[in-house]
Amino acid sequence: MPDPMHGQWPLTAAQLGVWFAASLGPGGSVYNVGERVDIHGPVDPDILEKAHRIVLEEAEALRLSVTEGPDGPVQVLGTSQVSVRRLDFTTQKDPKAAAEAWMASDVQIAFDLAQGPLYAPALLTVGPNFHILCSRYHHVSMDAWSSALITRRTAQVYSDMMADRPDSGIPLPSFRNLLESEGRYRESEEYEADRRYWIKRLRDVPDPVSLSDRPYRSPRKILRKRAVLSARLSDQLRSASAQLGVSWSVLAVAATAAYAGGVTGENVIPVGLPVSGRLSEVERNTPGMTVNVVPLHITVRPELPLRKLAKQVWAQTTRASRHSRYRMEELHRELTWTPEERLPYALVANVMAFDGDIRFGDHPAEVSSLSQRYTDDFSIVFHEGVRDGGIAVYFDANDLMYNQAELDAHVARFLLFLERLTSIGPDQPIRSISLLTADERERVVGRWSSGSVVEVPAATAPALFEARVVEAPDAVAVVSADGGTVFSYGELNARANRLARLLVDRGVGPEQVVALALPRSPELVVAMLAVLKAGAAYLPIDTTYPADRIRFMIEDARPTLVLTHTTAAGLWQDGTPTLLLDDTALQVQLAGLDAADPTDADRTSPLDPAHPVYVIYTSGSTGVPKGVVTHHTGLINLALAQSDQWHIG
């Protein structure tokens, strides 16, 4: 470590992460963090300035600037000449609105990392009994935990001065403690154990799950909306968590993951969890940037009881916290993720459960966040400290993936979801929690459901097709694009039956997948029907796709068999059995097979409406493509609804 007597120190790993991100990323004010303290009573500005001076002298992190040295960035300890700006809004027509507008503008002012200071406090007088102490920091020097330390120490020193008594608190420890602690950690066995834990945990991770269907782009700015849980809902959250045997912060993270699962339909939700990384008492009391974001992979299957979801999140957060000092930036390099790759999570759930009982003299104070919080995708932050025991919730979103209307809709929907989640019994499944707002429910079950009701038969797709064949065997079923090939329902059925019997002989049956790598043609329709009649699900593969995409789907879906043509058979070479439908010998074999409808007695096992009917892959525009399974009941429901909507005879 450079000689601290010269006031020049290296950056911690956490600071380096922010410095690199700020240097390479969007820059500007995106990495500003801040806090406001609403003081409900008169304030002596001169005494507050004196208290501020004492805290500023103690908290070296407030006096640091970052510059580039010959071996990389270093931080320089400056003087304590940072005054509290004083602004009086009492003469304004609407003092509170004017103060709010000023703070919104101030938090947008960017810091010069090299020049410093990276701290800008202000005291806003809104009325004789209402003041706001607000502070803007650069994230390279401070995190939310640290700003809470600064606020508590400032309030305590100010209160002692106002009472004309000696300082009753403990001075803030030197920032050098964080540097020395990190140095010891990086040379310890604990560091290597944490490294092994995360490498094992993240070698095979699920894809990030976004609440947006737009492709990922780095944000230009962060959209924000703040909501305050009522005292009743805040108490309900605490009461429900106690009944589940976890902290309310764990239940808040569980609710965030369950909401994402309900919105997206995914069963595993990767969630980024910010943690302080402070494991010793000295670290917990030293201001400075230490926050780390660790990934959780939360299972949110619809049938999962709320109790099991909460216990699962508790177990994951407990394990992650034990290994929270190992930096995710180092893991990023360790696992050779490229800089262009997204983080292993899209959603961030953060809980700031700090001591809310802060007083300036005899007057209560309420703490809330001014931070913009750089957000790669979407984050939900719970902040304890609202008066009367309430909890504030901040929603931050990437402006290139969400618009303000979408953010507002998520806020309204999530708050209702949270209320419903904290109202159900511990053993009720999370699928019982409705995601719909009153307006959405009216649209779904009201206006959208006001048309005719189509009863969905408890049947399979091939059974319904075969019933249609009986009704009109000579009606035209399929016509090729050039009009040269025409199959009636009877002819189409016979061709599909012969191929289905061949598939059954090859061991194809229910709960299996058969890939169809065929051009769009009447033969493709025959193959689809044949797979369904055999009882399996089909996987359509467009032969014009890039070879890597085709190979990925084959390797990921692991079909029992691939039906294809000679021209496409070389697109993959993974050993999957292949049947060439344009092979002459095969055509001769098919011609000799029974053309009657296969029954359950012919299949490898009986076919059920709940069995898979086809597998379709997503575009992969927001990550790795995923195979989505549809069942017979769903397909029939869709077909009947479309027939009714478009009046198909």
Side-chain angles (χ1 to χ4, degrees), residues 207-263:
D207 296 329
V209 175
S210 176
L211 302 182
S212 172
D213 58 4
R214 296 183 180 90
Y216 171 74
R217 293 171 64 191
S218 183
R220 294 172 305 184
K221 64 178 183 178
I222 306 302
L223 304 179
R224 157 164 284 199
K225 191 173 180 71
R226 178 179 184 262
V228 177
L229 305 186
S230 66
R232 180 189 60 79
L233 181 53
S234 299
D235 289 342
Q236 193 168 298
L237 176 60
R238 296 184 180 100
S239 176
S241 60
Q243 188 178 10
L244 292 164
V246 299
S247 67
W248 76 262
S249 58
V250 165
L251 187 55
V253 175
T256 302
Y259 173 77
V263 169

Side-chain angles (χ1 to χ4, degrees), residues 68-111:
E68 290 198 60
D71 300 318
V74 294
Q75 49 193 333
V76 179
L77 181 62
T79 64
S80 57
Q81 301 304 311
V82 181
S83 298
V84 178
R85 296 165 292 170
R86 303 181 187 181
L87 299 101
D88 190 338
F89 293 93
T90 57
T91 60
Q92 300 290 323
K93 183 178 180 180
D94 187 340
K96 187 175 181 181
E100 297 280 357
W102 185 89
M103 287 186 288
S105 175
D106 183 70
V107 79
Q108 301 290 334
I109 299 174
F111 287 104

Side-chain angles (χ1 to χ4, degrees), residues 145-211:
W145 183 279
S146 300
S147 62
L149 291 174
I150 298 297
T151 298
R152 284 200 298 270
R153 176 64 173 150
T154 301
Q156 176 258 306
V157 173
Y158 173 85
S159 298
D160 286 342
M161 287 183 169
M162 289 295 294
D164 196 24
R165 61 180 178 239
D167 186 350
S168 61
I170 301 174
L172 296 169
S174 169
F175 179 79
R176 283 171 287 185
N177 286 305
L178 296 181
L179 290 169
E180 293 166 357
S181 177
E182 180 168 287
R184 291 191 297 271
Y185 167 70
R186 295 181 70 85
E187 295 174 357
S188 69
E189 294 182 1
E190 181 187 2
Y191 173 82
E192 185 58 31
D194 290 346
R195 172 183 168 276
R196 289 194 301 269
Y197 172 83
W198 286 116
I199 288 177
K200 181 179 179 180
R201 178 98 175 131
L202 297 180
R203 277 296 184 192
D204 184 20
V205 298
D207 296 329
V209 175
S210 176
L211 302 182

Side-chain angles (χ1 to χ4, degrees), residues 498-506 579 586 589-590 593:
R498 294 188 183 98
L499 181 54
R501 292 181 180 279
L502 179 65
L503 296 178
V504 172
D505 289 342
R506 297 291 183 99
L579 201 60
L586 180 66
Q589 183 182 0
L590 287 171
L593 295 178

Side-chain angles (χ1 to χ4, degrees), residues 356-398:
D357 185 17
I358 296 176
R359 306 180 74 84
F360 281 74
D362 297 326
H363 311 301
E366 179 181 354
V367 181
S368 57
S369 172
L370 287 176
S371 301
Q372 298 185 82
R373 293 191 190 88
Y374 178 82
T375 301
D376 219 37
D377 190 307
F378 197 95
S379 72
I380 301 178
V381 181
F382 299 79
H383 192 290
E384 192 173 37
V386 179
R387 295 178 73 189
D388 303 322
I391 297 170
V393 187
Y394 298 84
F395 300 81
D396 297 301
N398 178 334

Side-chain angles (χ1 to χ4, degrees), residues 559-577:
T560 302
L561 185 68
V562 181
L563 303 185
T564 187
H565 281 181
T566 307
T567 55
L571 292 176
W572 65 92
Q573 296 175 350
D574 70 332
T576 301

